[in-house]
Amino acid sequence: MLTTLAVENYRSLHRLIVPLGRLNVVTGANGTGKSSLYRALRLLADSARGGAVAALAREGGLPSTLWAGERRGTGRAAPVSLRLGFSGDEFGYAVDFGHPVPTAGGEGAPSMFNLDPEIKRECTWAGPVLRPAALLSDRSGPAVRTRTADGTWHRTVNALRPYDSMLGELADPQLAPDLLRLREHLRSWRFYDHVRTDAGAPARSARIGTRTPVLAHDGSDLAAALQTIRETGDHEALDAAVDAAFPGSEAEIGNEGGRFELRLRQPGLMRPLGAAELSDGTLRYLLWAAALLTPRPPALLVLNEPESSLHPDLLPPLADLILTATRKTQIVVVTHAPDLAEALTLGARRHRLDVNPVTLVKDGLGRTDVAGREGPLDEPAWHWPKR
C-alpha cells in the first residue's frame, strides 16, 4: 500500500507531500490542485509503461507543466526539475525530469525533439524513506546500477536513452528483480476519469461479449463486465448495489448472437429498459458498480469526480460501493462533492474503516498545500534523490 505521495514543481504543486491511507478522499475548491494531483498519479503509472515523457509532451512539455511561480536558486538559476515519487510498505520510487541537452537531428540541424523532457535521476528503494542502505536501483542520466537477485550490484553505462524509464527497460528478473515487481505493481494501477454517458457513449451500445474482469476506461464493455461479476465475482454485492440505488430494480444482460446489452428491470414497468434508454446518472452509477466490484482488483484505484451526473440520493450508495472495494484495494477519490465526502466518512464509521481526508488549499503565492498543515514537521518523511 502507498503511504506517501510526493510532487514538486508540477503545475500548482510546488512542493506537496501527502500521506496516504487505505481510502483517501481528496477535496478542495476549484483551482486548488485536485486535478494536478490526479495527473501526477497518472504520470507515475505512465513511467512503468514508458509513457511518462510522452504524457508530459501531450500536456505541452515541461514549459507548460512546470510550476509557474517563483524559483529560488543559490547564486545562479536553479535547474529545471519536475519531480514525482511515492513510497509504501514495500517500495519507494522517485523520478526527476529536466530539460534535455540539445542534440542535432537529420543533416546536422537542431533536433525537433529538443523540447522533450529528459529523465535526469530515477531511484527505487525498500521501505518508506529513501536512504543509501535501502537503495534497490539508482539511475543518473544513462548510467544505472541495480541490486541483483543475490544482493550484489550490477552496473551498466549508456543503458538507457534519456526519455526511457528504467522501469520499462531494465525490469530483468535476475539483474533487477525488485524493478520488475515495482513495474508490475505500477502497471496494475487503474484510473477512471469522466466515463462517457452521453447519447453516443459506447456503454449504450450492444457489443460482442467476452469475459471482462476489468472495465475498459471508456466503459464500452460495461455489459460484459457486469456479466463477468455475476458469473465469477461478487454477484450478491452487485445486486445489493443496484437495489440500494434503485429499490426493487435488477440489472440483467441480454445476449443476442453473442452481442451483450445492459438492461435494467424496474418495478412497475412491463419491460426492462435498455442501456440507450437509461438516464446519464443511472448509467454512470452502473459503470461505477462495474469498476468497483471488479473480480480483479488493482493495487491502486483512482476515481476522478465520480459524483458527476449523479443525483444526491445516489451518493450514499456510491459511497457504499467505494467502501466495499476498499476491502481489496487502495482507493483515491478526487471529488468536488462535499456530500460524497461526508457519505464516505459516515459509511466508514459504520464499517469501522479509516478514511484519510486530504483537503487542498492554496497559499498567498499560489502554491497548493494540505489544509491544516503548519509546516514541514507536519509532513510525512521524504527525501528526493539529488542529481
PDB file of all heavy atoms in Angstrom, residues 48 91 124 136-137 146-147 166-188:
ATOM      1  N   ALA A  48       5.864   3.379 -15.609  1.00  0.00           N
ATOM      2  CA  ALA A  48       6.027   1.934 -15.696  1.00  0.00           C
ATOM      3  C   ALA A  48       5.734   1.407 -17.082  1.00  0.00           C
ATOM      4  O   ALA A  48       6.085   0.275 -17.414  1.00  0.00           O
ATOM      5  CB  ALA A  48       5.115   1.250 -14.680  1.00  0.00           C
ATOM      6  N   PHE A  91       8.009  -0.598  -1.182  1.00  0.00           N
ATOM      7  CA  PHE A  91       8.879   0.086  -2.121  1.00  0.00           C
ATOM      8  C   PHE A  91       8.693   1.585  -2.075  1.00  0.00           C
ATOM      9  O   PHE A  91       7.638   2.100  -1.669  1.00  0.00           O
ATOM     10  CB  PHE A  91       8.589  -0.367  -3.563  1.00  0.00           C
ATOM     11  CG  PHE A  91       8.954  -1.787  -3.855  1.00  0.00           C
ATOM     12  CD1 PHE A  91       7.973  -2.737  -4.069  1.00  0.00           C
ATOM     13  CD2 PHE A  91      10.276  -2.179  -3.928  1.00  0.00           C
ATOM     14  CE1 PHE A  91       8.294  -4.038  -4.343  1.00  0.00           C
ATOM     15  CE2 PHE A  91      10.618  -3.490  -4.199  1.00  0.00           C
ATOM     16  CZ  PHE A  91       9.626  -4.424  -4.419  1.00  0.00           C
ATOM     17  N   THR A 124      14.788   3.636  -6.937  1.00  0.00           N
ATOM     18  CA  THR A 124      13.837   2.846  -6.163  1.00  0.00           C
ATOM     19  C   THR A 124      14.527   2.399  -4.882  1.00  0.00           C
ATOM     20  O   THR A 124      15.763   2.283  -4.830  1.00  0.00           O
ATOM     21  CB  THR A 124      13.361   1.602  -6.936  1.00  0.00           C
ATOM     22  OG1 THR A 124      14.462   0.710  -7.128  1.00  0.00           O
ATOM     23  CG2 THR A 124      12.783   1.988  -8.284  1.00  0.00           C
ATOM     24  N   LEU A 136      17.568   0.169  -4.076  1.00  0.00           N
ATOM     25  CA  LEU A 136      17.455  -1.047  -4.876  1.00  0.00           C
ATOM     26  C   LEU A 136      17.912  -0.818  -6.308  1.00  0.00           C
ATOM     27  O   LEU A 136      18.411  -1.729  -6.962  1.00  0.00           O
ATOM     28  CB  LEU A 136      16.004  -1.541  -4.874  1.00  0.00           C
ATOM     29  CG  LEU A 136      15.444  -1.934  -3.518  1.00  0.00           C
ATOM     30  CD1 LEU A 136      13.962  -2.240  -3.623  1.00  0.00           C
ATOM     31  CD2 LEU A 136      16.203  -3.129  -2.943  1.00  0.00           C
ATOM     32  N   SER A 137      17.709   0.387  -6.809  1.00  0.00           N
ATOM     33  CA  SER A 137      18.200   0.757  -8.141  1.00  0.00           C
ATOM     34  C   SER A 137      18.422   2.252  -8.163  1.00  0.00           C
ATOM     35  O   SER A 137      17.722   3.014  -7.497  1.00  0.00           O
ATOM     36  CB  SER A 137      17.217   0.334  -9.233  1.00  0.00           C
ATOM     37  OG  SER A 137      15.950   0.934  -9.022  1.00  0.00           O
ATOM     38  N   THR A 146      21.782  -1.597 -10.390  1.00  0.00           N
ATOM     39  CA  THR A 146      20.637  -2.297  -9.819  1.00  0.00           C
ATOM     40  C   THR A 146      21.119  -3.403  -8.899  1.00  0.00           C
ATOM     41  O   THR A 146      22.160  -4.021  -9.142  1.00  0.00           O
ATOM     42  CB  THR A 146      19.761  -2.919 -10.928  1.00  0.00           C
ATOM     43  OG1 THR A 146      20.563  -3.786 -11.738  1.00  0.00           O
ATOM     44  CG2 THR A 146      19.147  -1.835 -11.802  1.00  0.00           C
ATOM     45  N   ARG A 147      20.335  -3.646  -7.863  1.00  0.00           N
ATOM     46  CA  ARG A 147      20.670  -4.720  -6.927  1.00  0.00           C
ATOM     47  C   ARG A 147      20.123  -6.028  -7.488  1.00  0.00           C
ATOM     48  O   ARG A 147      18.931  -6.148  -7.774  1.00  0.00           O
ATOM     49  CB  ARG A 147      20.082  -4.442  -5.549  1.00  0.00           C
ATOM     50  CG  ARG A 147      20.700  -5.282  -4.448  1.00  0.00           C
ATOM     51  CD  ARG A 147      20.069  -4.962  -3.103  1.00  0.00           C
ATOM     52  NE  ARG A 147      20.366  -3.621  -2.638  1.00  0.00           N
ATOM     53  CZ  ARG A 147      21.453  -3.280  -1.956  1.00  0.00           C
ATOM     54  NH1 ARG A 147      22.365  -4.195  -1.703  1.00  0.00           N
ATOM     55  NH2 ARG A 147      21.616  -2.043  -1.537  1.00  0.00           N
ATOM     56  N   MET A 166      13.791   3.439 -16.420  1.00  0.00           N
ATOM     57  CA  MET A 166      14.388   2.132 -16.132  1.00  0.00           C
ATOM     58  C   MET A 166      13.306   1.120 -15.755  1.00  0.00           C
ATOM     59  O   MET A 166      13.526  -0.090 -15.860  1.00  0.00           O
ATOM     60  CB  MET A 166      15.422   2.252 -15.013  1.00  0.00           C
ATOM     61  CG  MET A 166      14.899   2.705 -13.684  1.00  0.00           C
ATOM     62  SD  MET A 166      16.262   2.850 -12.485  1.00  0.00           S
ATOM     63  CE  MET A 166      15.348   3.300 -11.004  1.00  0.00           C
ATOM     64  N   LEU A 167      12.130   1.577 -15.333  1.00  0.00           N
ATOM     65  CA  LEU A 167      11.047   0.656 -15.015  1.00  0.00           C
ATOM     66  C   LEU A 167      10.617  -0.139 -16.237  1.00  0.00           C
ATOM     67  O   LEU A 167      10.283  -1.318 -16.142  1.00  0.00           O
ATOM     68  CB  LEU A 167       9.844   1.417 -14.453  1.00  0.00           C
ATOM     69  CG  LEU A 167       9.994   1.999 -13.055  1.00  0.00           C
ATOM     70  CD1 LEU A 167       8.783   2.838 -12.703  1.00  0.00           C
ATOM     71  CD2 LEU A 167      10.191   0.902 -12.028  1.00  0.00           C
ATOM     72  N   GLY A 168      10.616   0.520 -17.390  1.00  0.00           N
ATOM     73  CA  GLY A 168      10.185  -0.155 -18.596  1.00  0.00           C
ATOM     74  C   GLY A 168      11.289  -0.894 -19.320  1.00  0.00           C
ATOM     75  O   GLY A 168      11.029  -1.835 -20.075  1.00  0.00           O
ATOM     76  N   GLU A 169      12.556  -0.484 -19.109  1.00  0.00           N
ATOM     77  CA  GLU A 169      13.651  -1.013 -19.905  1.00  0.00           C
ATOM     78  C   GLU A 169      14.527  -2.026 -19.181  1.00  0.00           C
ATOM     79  O   GLU A 169      15.182  -2.843 -19.822  1.00  0.00           O
ATOM     80  CB  GLU A 169      14.541   0.152 -20.376  1.00  0.00           C
ATOM     81  CG  GLU A 169      13.808   1.182 -21.215  1.00  0.00           C
ATOM     82  CD  GLU A 169      13.283   0.612 -22.520  1.00  0.00           C
ATOM     83  OE1 GLU A 169      14.031  -0.139 -23.166  1.00  0.00           O
ATOM     84  OE2 GLU A 169      12.133   0.910 -22.880  1.00  0.00           O
ATOM     85  N   LEU A 170      14.569  -1.977 -17.841  1.00  0.00           N
ATOM     86  CA  LEU A 170      15.543  -2.803 -17.120  1.00  0.00           C
ATOM     87  C   LEU A 170      14.911  -3.765 -16.125  1.00  0.00           C
ATOM     88  O   LEU A 170      15.578  -4.222 -15.210  1.00  0.00           O
ATOM     89  CB  LEU A 170      16.539  -1.898 -16.377  1.00  0.00           C
ATOM     90  CG  LEU A 170      17.412  -1.004 -17.243  1.00  0.00           C
ATOM     91  CD1 LEU A 170      18.334  -0.176 -16.364  1.00  0.00           C
ATOM     92  CD2 LEU A 170      18.249  -1.836 -18.217  1.00  0.00           C
ATOM     93  N   ALA A 171      13.646  -4.059 -16.278  1.00  0.00           N
ATOM     94  CA  ALA A 171      12.984  -4.949 -15.330  1.00  0.00           C
ATOM     95  C   ALA A 171      13.309  -6.399 -15.665  1.00  0.00           C
ATOM     96  O   ALA A 171      12.529  -7.133 -16.259  1.00  0.00           O
ATOM     97  CB  ALA A 171      11.480  -4.719 -15.352  1.00  0.00           C
ATOM     98  N   ASP A 172      14.520  -6.827 -15.297  1.00  0.00           N
ATOM     99  CA  ASP A 172      15.006  -8.176 -15.562  1.00  0.00           C
ATOM    100  C   ASP A 172      14.900  -8.999 -14.275  1.00  0.00           C
ATOM    101  O   ASP A 172      15.322  -8.544 -13.211  1.00  0.00           O
ATOM    102  CB  ASP A 172      16.466  -8.112 -16.020  1.00  0.00           C
ATOM    103  CG  ASP A 172      17.019  -9.479 -16.368  1.00  0.00           C
ATOM    104  OD1 ASP A 172      17.378 -10.223 -15.437  1.00  0.00           O
ATOM    105  OD2 ASP A 172      17.077  -9.791 -17.563  1.00  0.00           O
ATOM    106  N   PRO A 173      14.349 -10.218 -14.336  1.00  0.00           N
ATOM    107  CA  PRO A 173      14.151 -10.996 -13.105  1.00  0.00           C
ATOM    108  C   PRO A 173      15.439 -11.358 -12.383  1.00  0.00           C
ATOM    109  O   PRO A 173      15.418 -11.621 -11.181  1.00  0.00           O
ATOM    110  CB  PRO A 173      13.409 -12.251 -13.594  1.00  0.00           C
ATOM    111  CG  PRO A 173      13.642 -12.305 -15.056  1.00  0.00           C
ATOM    112  CD  PRO A 173      13.801 -10.901 -15.506  1.00  0.00           C
ATOM    113  N   GLN A 174      16.576 -11.376 -13.082  1.00  0.00           N
ATOM    114  CA  GLN A 174      17.838 -11.697 -12.440  1.00  0.00           C
ATOM    115  C   GLN A 174      18.632 -10.455 -12.063  1.00  0.00           C
ATOM    116  O   GLN A 174      19.140 -10.339 -10.945  1.00  0.00           O
ATOM    117  CB  GLN A 174      18.686 -12.581 -13.383  1.00  0.00           C
ATOM    118  CG  GLN A 174      18.103 -13.958 -13.600  1.00  0.00           C
ATOM    119  CD  GLN A 174      17.974 -14.750 -12.297  1.00  0.00           C
ATOM    120  OE1 GLN A 174      18.863 -14.722 -11.446  1.00  0.00           O
ATOM    121  NE2 GLN A 174      16.859 -15.447 -12.141  1.00  0.00           N
ATOM    122  N   LEU A 175      18.744  -9.506 -13.004  1.00  0.00           N
ATOM    123  CA  LEU A 175      19.565  -8.323 -12.758  1.00  0.00           C
ATOM    124  C   LEU A 175      18.829  -7.255 -11.962  1.00  0.00           C
ATOM    125  O   LEU A 175      19.460  -6.437 -11.300  1.00  0.00           O
ATOM    126  CB  LEU A 175      20.044  -7.740 -14.097  1.00  0.00           C
ATOM    127  CG  LEU A 175      20.915  -8.664 -14.955  1.00  0.00           C
ATOM    128  CD1 LEU A 175      21.332  -7.959 -16.226  1.00  0.00           C
ATOM    129  CD2 LEU A 175      22.138  -9.133 -14.173  1.00  0.00           C
ATOM    130  N   ALA A 176      17.503  -7.231 -12.050  1.00  0.00           N
ATOM    131  CA  ALA A 176      16.738  -6.193 -11.338  1.00  0.00           C
ATOM    132  C   ALA A 176      15.384  -6.745 -10.920  1.00  0.00           C
ATOM    133  O   ALA A 176      14.339  -6.283 -11.391  1.00  0.00           O
ATOM    134  CB  ALA A 176      16.575  -4.961 -12.227  1.00  0.00           C
ATOM    135  N   PRO A 177      15.347  -7.738 -10.040  1.00  0.00           N
ATOM    136  CA  PRO A 177      14.063  -8.342  -9.656  1.00  0.00           C
ATOM    137  C   PRO A 177      13.117  -7.369  -8.966  1.00  0.00           C
ATOM    138  O   PRO A 177      11.904  -7.454  -9.146  1.00  0.00           O
ATOM    139  CB  PRO A 177      14.479  -9.487  -8.726  1.00  0.00           C
ATOM    140  CG  PRO A 177      15.830  -9.082  -8.198  1.00  0.00           C
ATOM    141  CD  PRO A 177      16.482  -8.344  -9.325  1.00  0.00           C
ATOM    142  N   ASP A 178      13.669  -6.455  -8.190  1.00  0.00           N
ATOM    143  CA  ASP A 178      12.800  -5.501  -7.495  1.00  0.00           C
ATOM    144  C   ASP A 178      12.180  -4.505  -8.461  1.00  0.00           C
ATOM    145  O   ASP A 178      11.040  -4.061  -8.269  1.00  0.00           O
ATOM    146  CB  ASP A 178      13.604  -4.780  -6.409  1.00  0.00           C
ATOM    147  CG  ASP A 178      14.100  -5.737  -5.338  1.00  0.00           C
ATOM    148  OD1 ASP A 178      13.254  -6.441  -4.764  1.00  0.00           O
ATOM    149  OD2 ASP A 178      15.308  -5.786  -5.103  1.00  0.00           O
ATOM    150  N   LEU A 179      12.921  -4.127  -9.508  1.00  0.00           N
ATOM    151  CA  LEU A 179      12.347  -3.267 -10.537  1.00  0.00           C
ATOM    152  C   LEU A 179      11.176  -3.954 -11.222  1.00  0.00           C
ATOM    153  O   LEU A 179      10.165  -3.320 -11.534  1.00  0.00           O
ATOM    154  CB  LEU A 179      13.411  -2.912 -11.582  1.00  0.00           C
ATOM    155  CG  LEU A 179      14.236  -1.650 -11.372  1.00  0.00           C
ATOM    156  CD1 LEU A 179      15.194  -1.460 -12.542  1.00  0.00           C
ATOM    157  CD2 LEU A 179      13.352  -0.424 -11.216  1.00  0.00           C
ATOM    158  N   LEU A 180      11.300  -5.239 -11.473  1.00  0.00           N
ATOM    159  CA  LEU A 180      10.229  -5.989 -12.113  1.00  0.00           C
ATOM    160  C   LEU A 180       8.975  -5.987 -11.247  1.00  0.00           C
ATOM    161  O   LEU A 180       7.858  -5.753 -11.729  1.00  0.00           O
ATOM    162  CB  LEU A 180      10.685  -7.412 -12.392  1.00  0.00           C
ATOM    163  CG  LEU A 180       9.663  -8.340 -13.052  1.00  0.00           C
ATOM    164  CD1 LEU A 180       9.255  -7.808 -14.413  1.00  0.00           C
ATOM    165  CD2 LEU A 180      10.229  -9.752 -13.178  1.00  0.00           C
ATOM    166  N   ARG A 181       9.152  -6.233  -9.953  1.00  0.00           N
ATOM    167  CA  ARG A 181       7.999  -6.233  -9.037  1.00  0.00           C
ATOM    168  C   ARG A 181       7.349  -4.866  -8.968  1.00  0.00           C
ATOM    169  O   ARG A 181       6.118  -4.755  -9.002  1.00  0.00           O
ATOM    170  CB  ARG A 181       8.451  -6.666  -7.639  1.00  0.00           C
ATOM    171  CG  ARG A 181       8.846  -8.128  -7.531  1.00  0.00           C
ATOM    172  CD  ARG A 181       9.391  -8.441  -6.158  1.00  0.00           C
ATOM    173  NE  ARG A 181       8.425  -8.132  -5.105  1.00  0.00           N
ATOM    174  CZ  ARG A 181       8.745  -7.974  -3.829  1.00  0.00           C
ATOM    175  NH1 ARG A 181      10.023  -8.043  -3.450  1.00  0.00           N
ATOM    176  NH2 ARG A 181       7.817  -7.708  -2.942  1.00  0.00           N
ATOM    177  N   LEU A 182       8.173  -3.819  -8.904  1.00  0.00           N
ATOM    178  CA  LEU A 182       7.623  -2.472  -8.831  1.00  0.00           C
ATOM    179  C   LEU A 182       6.909  -2.104 -10.124  1.00  0.00           C
ATOM    180  O   LEU A 182       5.848  -1.488 -10.104  1.00  0.00           O
ATOM    181  CB  LEU A 182       8.736  -1.467  -8.537  1.00  0.00           C
ATOM    182  CG  LEU A 182       8.308   0.000  -8.417  1.00  0.00           C
ATOM    183  CD1 LEU A 182       7.255   0.169  -7.330  1.00  0.00           C
ATOM    184  CD2 LEU A 182       9.515   0.883  -8.124  1.00  0.00           C
ATOM    185  N   ARG A 183       7.485  -2.479 -11.269  1.00  0.00           N
ATOM    186  CA  ARG A 183       6.835  -2.185 -12.542  1.00  0.00           C
ATOM    187  C   ARG A 183       5.452  -2.825 -12.616  1.00  0.00           C
ATOM    188  O   ARG A 183       4.476  -2.181 -13.016  1.00  0.00           O
ATOM    189  CB  ARG A 183       7.691  -2.686 -13.699  1.00  0.00           C
ATOM    190  CG  ARG A 183       7.119  -2.316 -15.066  1.00  0.00           C
ATOM    191  CD  ARG A 183       7.916  -2.930 -16.191  1.00  0.00           C
ATOM    192  NE  ARG A 183       7.716  -4.372 -16.263  1.00  0.00           N
ATOM    193  CZ  ARG A 183       8.315  -5.155 -17.154  1.00  0.00           C
ATOM    194  NH1 ARG A 183       9.177  -4.643 -18.013  1.00  0.00           N
ATOM    195  NH2 ARG A 183       8.080  -6.454 -17.164  1.00  0.00           N
ATOM    196  N   GLU A 184       5.364  -4.097 -12.233  1.00  0.00           N
ATOM    197  CA  GLU A 184       4.070  -4.769 -12.298  1.00  0.00           C
ATOM    198  C   GLU A 184       3.080  -4.163 -11.307  1.00  0.00           C
ATOM    199  O   GLU A 184       1.880  -4.096 -11.587  1.00  0.00           O
ATOM    200  CB  GLU A 184       4.252  -6.269 -12.036  1.00  0.00           C
ATOM    201  CG  GLU A 184       5.078  -6.971 -13.111  1.00  0.00           C
ATOM    202  CD  GLU A 184       4.589  -6.650 -14.513  1.00  0.00           C
ATOM    203  OE1 GLU A 184       3.389  -6.839 -14.780  1.00  0.00           O
ATOM    204  OE2 GLU A 184       5.404  -6.195 -15.344  1.00  0.00           O
ATOM    205  N   HIS A 185       3.579  -3.721 -10.166  1.00  0.00           N
ATOM    206  CA  HIS A 185       2.714  -3.038  -9.198  1.00  0.00           C
ATOM    207  C   HIS A 185       2.124  -1.763  -9.808  1.00  0.00           C
ATOM    208  O   HIS A 185       0.913  -1.526  -9.740  1.00  0.00           O
ATOM    209  CB  HIS A 185       3.516  -2.715  -7.937  1.00  0.00           C
ATOM    210  CG  HIS A 185       2.765  -1.905  -6.924  1.00  0.00           C
ATOM    211  ND1 HIS A 185       1.917  -2.470  -6.000  1.00  0.00           N
ATOM    212  CD2 HIS A 185       2.718  -0.555  -6.692  1.00  0.00           C
ATOM    213  CE1 HIS A 185       1.386  -1.526  -5.246  1.00  0.00           C
ATOM    214  NE2 HIS A 185       1.861  -0.356  -5.650  1.00  0.00           N
ATOM    215  N   LEU A 186       2.977  -0.952 -10.426  1.00  0.00           N
ATOM    216  CA  LEU A 186       2.507   0.296 -11.028  1.00  0.00           C
ATOM    217  C   LEU A 186       1.571   0.033 -12.203  1.00  0.00           C
ATOM    218  O   LEU A 186       0.600   0.770 -12.417  1.00  0.00           O
ATOM    219  CB  LEU A 186       3.703   1.128 -11.492  1.00  0.00           C
ATOM    220  CG  LEU A 186       4.443   1.914 -10.408  1.00  0.00           C
ATOM    221  CD1 LEU A 186       5.786   2.393 -10.927  1.00  0.00           C
ATOM    222  CD2 LEU A 186       3.617   3.087  -9.948  1.00  0.00           C
ATOM    223  N   ARG A 187       1.862  -0.984 -12.973  1.00  0.00           N
ATOM    224  CA  ARG A 187       1.011  -1.275 -14.124  1.00  0.00           C
ATOM    225  C   ARG A 187      -0.367  -1.767 -13.722  1.00  0.00           C
ATOM    226  O   ARG A 187      -1.289  -1.763 -14.534  1.00  0.00           O
ATOM    227  CB  ARG A 187       1.699  -2.309 -15.027  1.00  0.00           C
ATOM    228  CG  ARG A 187       2.877  -1.731 -15.805  1.00  0.00           C
ATOM    229  CD  ARG A 187       3.473  -2.730 -16.764  1.00  0.00           C
ATOM    230  NE  ARG A 187       4.517  -2.109 -17.587  1.00  0.00           N
ATOM    231  CZ  ARG A 187       5.187  -2.736 -18.534  1.00  0.00           C
ATOM    232  NH1 ARG A 187       4.944  -4.022 -18.779  1.00  0.00           N
ATOM    233  NH2 ARG A 187       6.111  -2.099 -19.239  1.00  0.00           N
ATOM    234  N   SER A 188      -0.518  -2.186 -12.478  1.00  0.00           N
ATOM    235  CA  SER A 188      -1.837  -2.615 -12.015  1.00  0.00           C
ATOM    236  C   SER A 188      -2.711  -1.445 -11.580  1.00  0.00           C
ATOM    237  O   SER A 188      -3.918  -1.629 -11.371  1.00  0.00           O
ATOM    238  CB  SER A 188      -1.691  -3.605 -10.852  1.00  0.00           C
ATOM    239  OG  SER A 188      -1.417  -2.926  -9.622  1.00  0.00           O
TER     240      SER A 188
END
